[in-house]
Amino acid sequence: MKRHAIIFWVAMVLAVIGIVDMAFFDKGALIRLLLIPLLVFGVIFLLYKYQPGRAKKQKIKIKPSAKTMEKVAAAKRTNQTSGKRKHYPFQVIEGSKGKNDDQQPKYH
């Protein structure tokens, strides 16, 4: 693990030395070196911000017919009249072991 860290830091130091050297002695090379990554970053940023497949479409509002509104109203009425309690098709099956009611506490 330490070997990888040493190689990484040596590469970083050499990269910084190269960039500083270009900045002081060959300014045209520094601009060319940084131009491509900046252009790529700018293109990616613009594609992210203005996605080509996501055009702004106008939503068309469709007015439902009277028949549809009657169906929706009827469905709401049936849901409200059924009450708060739901009926499930499950049933509790008593076990086959004998229960001793004398040993159970009155309030549990």
Side-chain angles (χ1 to χ4, degrees):
M1 189 68 176
K2 286 185 178 184
R3 181 177 174 196
H4 295 292
I6 291 172
I7 293 172
F8 172 78
W9 287 112
V10 167
M12 287 294 121
V13 168
L14 289 175
V16 168
I17 290 172
I19 290 173
V20 169
D21 183 49
M22 280 187 203
F24 286 119
F25 298 111
D26 191 11
K27 294 184 184 198
L30 180 65
I31 293 171
R32 285 191 307 255
L33 179 72
L34 296 178
L35 184 66
I36 293 173
L38 288 176
L39 285 175
V40 170
F41 177 75
V43 168
I44 291 173
F45 177 75
L46 289 176
L47 285 175
Y48 178 73
K49 186 156 177 91
Y50 305 106
Q51 295 175 1
R54 206 177 94 190
K56 294 181 181 177
K57 297 179 183 177
Q58 293 179 353
K59 293 184 179 181
I60 300 171
K61 292 185 179 181
I62 300 172
K63 185 178 178 183
S65 67
K67 200 176 219 183
T68 304
M69 293 305 291
E70 287 176 20
K71 287 180 184 177
V72 170
K76 285 183 181 178
R77 279 194 303 269
T78 59
N79 285 343
Q80 290 175 352
T81 58
S82 65
K84 293 181 181 178
R85 187 174 184 113
K86 295 182 181 180
H87 299 285
Y88 295 104
F90 301 115
Q91 179 179 343
V92 176
I93 301 173
E94 294 293 329
S96 61
K97 293 184 181 179
K99 290 186 177 179
N100 193 351
D101 291 333
D102 295 335
Q103 293 179 354
Q104 287 184 345
K106 285 186 177 181
Y107 304 104
H108 52 82

